[in-house]
Amino acid sequence: MTAKILSAAPVVDKIKKELINKCNDLKRRGVTPSMCVVLVGDNPASLSYIKNKKRMCEEVGAKFHLEHLPQDISAELFLSRIQVLNSDPDIHGIIIQLPVSSQLKTLNLANLIEPSKDIDGFHGLNTQKLYSGTKDLSELLPCTPKGIVNLLKFYDIEIEGKNIVISGRSLIVGKPLSMLLSNFDATITLTHSQTKNLKDFTKGADIVIAAIGKAHYFDRTFFDPSKKTIVIDVGMNTLHGKLTGDVNFEDVKEVVSGITPVPGGVGPMTVVSLIENLISATEKHIKGNT
Ligand code: NAP
């Protein structure tokens, strides 16, 4: 068995075409979707993530604004800048690029952005929709979970009734993803660093989603070839200077039926989901004003 490569490229192309049409429609109605990224300091990884977000934003015809703040900005000044952006009617989506500097870490960052502009989908009012069982992918849902569901749907990978093992329980990936997939009627096992006998879970799963941040942690010994498992690799690690997933792709590809590559898998799906959220937020903004 050689795994089907579940590349993001055709999915992103399809979604981008839809977003370009929607963006043109919004422009005809007099509004250009506009996104603002708040960056504190000059973290090189953050600058590279922002470059990808800016590129995709501009490719669909939306505006991009970088609010670049100094590393040592006080919490008070930071909050006042966020307030200004929240109340700016020409900005429809805002994200705070993580990590922020230490003096800002005690702020409740997830809830600082006005919920209708929260295109990361981290605000309590937006995550509440996940708790309430939403399957509506046009809601402002967290981007990596939304991107993974869109990828599974594009490749006709059934979610309903499937046993899905997620490794990693972070607030940005594992936890919201477990809720979203449960809303689509999968049975979820959410594993973490204290899980005993992880392989017993992954070997029995229809879909395994790796989001632990450890390069090449998952090798072929985690999978049972007879299960024809689908593997979604969320990891973005650096190994020998190269971007590397949590799954050892070369070792695993002969024992699973489908696998996302790194790079070119979940990463671009996350970015396109952010832009989808921006367009949704702008559409809702227009509806609210008419
Ligand atoms: P995180 O905050 O770094 O947390 C890691 C999670 O993995 C924790 O829940 C931890 O368990 C769990 N874990 C650690 N070692 C484990 C093990 N041996 N077995 C099972 N679980 C284990 O997670 P994150 O921010 O979600 O990031 C995870 C990875 O995804 C990173 O490589 C990150 O760069 C990447 N990422 C990629 C995208 C994308 O768009 N592709 C988006 C976001 C993140 P405990 O809770 O017990 O500590």
Side-chain angles (χ1 to χ4, degrees), residues 22-31 283 286-287 290:
K22 286 184 178 182
C23 194
N24 284 336
D25 184 47
L26 286 163
K27 285 178 177 172
R28 275 192 292 274
R29 293 156 73 186
V31 179
E283 288 173 339
I286 286 194
K287 265 194 199 144
T290 50

Side-chain angles (χ1 to χ4, degrees), residues 49 143-145 148 166-175 190-195 198 210-215 217-218 222 233-238 243-246 262 265-271:
Y49 297 147
C143 298
T144 303
I148 290 172
I166 301 172
S167 273
R169 55 177 165 184
S170 74
L171 279 174
I172 58 168
V173 183
K175 280 180 183 153
L190 184 58
T191 67
H192 46 77
S193 68
Q194 303 310 307
T195 298
L198 180 58
I212 67 171
K214 290 188 174 154
Y217 186 84
F218 294 86
F222 281 82
D233 190 353
V234 182
M236 293 208 309
N237 316 288
T238 309
L243 181 62
T244 308
D246 288 347
V262 177
V266 175
M269 290 308 305
T270 298
V271 180

Side-chain angles (χ1 to χ4, degrees), residues 18-72:
E18 292 161 6
L19 294 178
I20 288 169
N21 287 338
K22 286 184 178 182
C23 194
N24 284 336
D25 184 47
L26 286 163
K27 285 178 177 172
R28 275 192 292 274
R29 293 156 73 186
V31 179
T32 302
S34 174
M35 157 176 172
C36 176
V37 175
V38 180
L39 171 68
V40 181
D42 294 297
N43 181 311
S46 294
L47 288 166
S48 145
Y49 297 147
I50 290 172
K51 213 169 79 187
N52 293 336
K53 291 167 186 172
K54 178 175 191 281
R55 189 189 309 125
M56 207 168 302
C57 186
E58 291 174 346
E59 277 171 6
V60 305
K63 277 198 243 167
F64 179 91
H65 169 69
L66 179 64
E67 182 78 9
H68 200 164
L69 303 173
Q71 181 81 26
D72 61 354

Side-chain angles (χ1 to χ4, degrees), residues 141-163:
L141 302 178
C143 298
T144 303
K146 180 166 168 161
I148 290 172
V149 169
N150 273 328
L151 183 119
L152 292 171
K153 284 182 173 293
F154 178 88
Y155 284 105
D156 284 327
I157 296 164
E158 217 177 328
I159 300 175
E160 184 185 333
K162 297 296 173 189
N163 290 324

Side-chain angles (χ1 to χ4, degrees), residues 64-90:
F64 179 91
H65 169 69
L66 179 64
E67 182 78 9
H68 200 164
L69 303 173
Q71 181 81 26
D72 61 354
I73 189 169
S74 68
E76 202 183 6
L77 248 177
F78 177 78
L79 287 172
S80 76
R81 282 311 302 156
I82 299 288
Q83 206 43 54
V84 168
L85 297 168
N86 275 339
S87 49
D88 184 339
D90 293 329

